[in-house]
Amino acid sequence: MTTPSVSVILPMFNSSLYIQEAIESILQQTFTDFELIVVDDGSSDNSPSLVKAYNDSRIRLLLNDHDFIGSLNLGILNSRGKYIVRMDADDIMFPDRLQKQVDFMEQYPEISVCGSFAEVFGDGSGTIRVATKHEEIVLSMILYNPMIHPSVIIRRSDLQNNGYKTGYPCAEDYKLWTDLASQDFRFANLPDVLLKYRRSPSQVTQTKGEEMFNSTFKIQMEYAEKVLEKITEKDEGLVDFLNHLIEATNEKRISTQSFIRITHAVYTDVLKKQQT
């Protein structure tokens, strides 16, 4: 069996309304050297039968109990491609998405994760634009998630010792990005709209907002602490200041949000000095 260049991992849960449209957008890609791994996350509707109806040898259907993190990692475990591409069951790829992302990753072998801009449709409209350069992205990660999860392509080799972790519900992708950034893997976002990103009232951001907020805050604090270590490695003169910052935060003399913002400001200044 020929090894594909790309493994598209698409988890689904009760996705019968949209799964065919998502799959069609993948099958219509101008880049054709891929496998599509659909991981059914314990659906109770007819989603699996809709996937089975496709007569295309590139499509594989895996069945899993209802466990989104487990389904994502199952897809990675069963992937064979040089690159892993993420896709959600209710989104749509533009026809040239895979070609543009594979070309970019081949041209820039130092990049581990590459996303793109996205067009919003469904319950909303507009374009989601994100930071494109590595330094901007890792700085932004202190404050928010700068990667659009279903738009990314990742080198599979860089996931060998990494994966989606439990304990961060509704923000598992954000945790993966900060883990990779902490290990100095490099990021990029193409300034091209390569994905149609559906917004609907049933999305996690709408139904589990508080859970997502708590996970996001936990990730920000963990990442900020790792960033502080990087800052002291780059500028030992800041050690005392940063120790006082941590002490003030622990004693609740400054808020944790202030701690995150100050860490972001200091890291921005350190990286700017490095570039001059």
Side-chain angles (χ1 to χ4, degrees), residues 40-52:
D40 183 63
D41 189 41
S43 293
S44 58
D45 66 0
N46 66 331
S47 296
S49 62
L50 293 175
V51 177
K52 290 176 183 177

Side-chain angles (χ1 to χ4, degrees), residues 11-189:
M12 67 176 184
F13 175 71
N14 291 344
S15 304
S16 58
L17 286 178
Y18 307 123
I19 187 62
Q20 291 171 301
E21 195 172 13
I23 289 176
E24 291 296 332
S25 76
I26 299 168
L27 297 181
Q28 291 167 13
Q29 290 293 297
T30 57
F31 182 91
T32 59
D33 185 22
F34 65 83
E35 63 177 352
L36 170 56
I37 302 174
V38 181
V39 187
D40 183 63
D41 189 41
S43 293
S44 58
D45 66 0
N46 66 331
S47 296
S49 62
L50 293 175
V51 177
K52 290 176 183 177
Y54 283 92
N55 184 25
D56 193 311
S57 61
R58 293 173 297 179
I59 300 176
R60 285 194 283 156
L61 175 64
L62 305 179
L63 303 180
N64 195 40
D65 294 332
H66 189 41
D67 171 14
F68 184 64
I69 306 301
S71 292
L72 286 173
N73 287 327
L74 181 64
I76 293 172
L77 182 65
N78 283 272
S79 65
R80 298 178 293 130
K82 178 179 180 181
Y83 301 108
I84 287 175
V85 164
R86 273 287 290 112
M87 179 66 172
D88 283 343
D90 57 350
D91 294 333
I92 299 170
M93 288 187 186
F94 281 95
D96 57 352
R97 173 191 171 178
L98 293 184
Q99 188 68 65
K100 285 188 173 181
Q101 289 190 305
V102 170
D103 287 348
F104 179 84
M105 297 296 275
E106 290 290 298
Q107 184 177 358
Y108 299 99
E110 72 276 11
I111 299 297
S112 295
V113 183
C114 174
S116 75
F117 291 3
E119 176 187 316
V120 176
F121 76 115
D123 190 19
S125 61
T127 301
I128 304 174
R129 294 178 172 84
V130 285
T132 57
K133 304 297 184 183
H134 172 74
E135 289 75 15
E136 297 174 294
I137 291 169
V138 295
L139 275 171
S140 299
M141 277 186 201
I142 304 173
L143 303 176
Y144 59 88
N145 184 354
M147 307 299 294
I148 302 170
H149 194 192
S151 81
V152 302
I153 183 170
I154 314 168
R155 292 186 194 277
R156 186 164 65 90
S157 58
D158 294 336
L159 287 178
Q160 288 178 345
N161 297 313
N162 297 282
Y164 295 93
K165 292 182 178 177
T166 58
Y168 304 87
C170 309
E172 60 284 332
D173 58 318
Y174 189 14
K175 175 59 178 172
L176 178 58
W177 311 146
T178 57
D179 282 350
L180 291 172
S182 298
Q183 298 172 60
D184 296 321
F185 288 100
R186 296 188 66 81
F187 290 76
N189 278 309

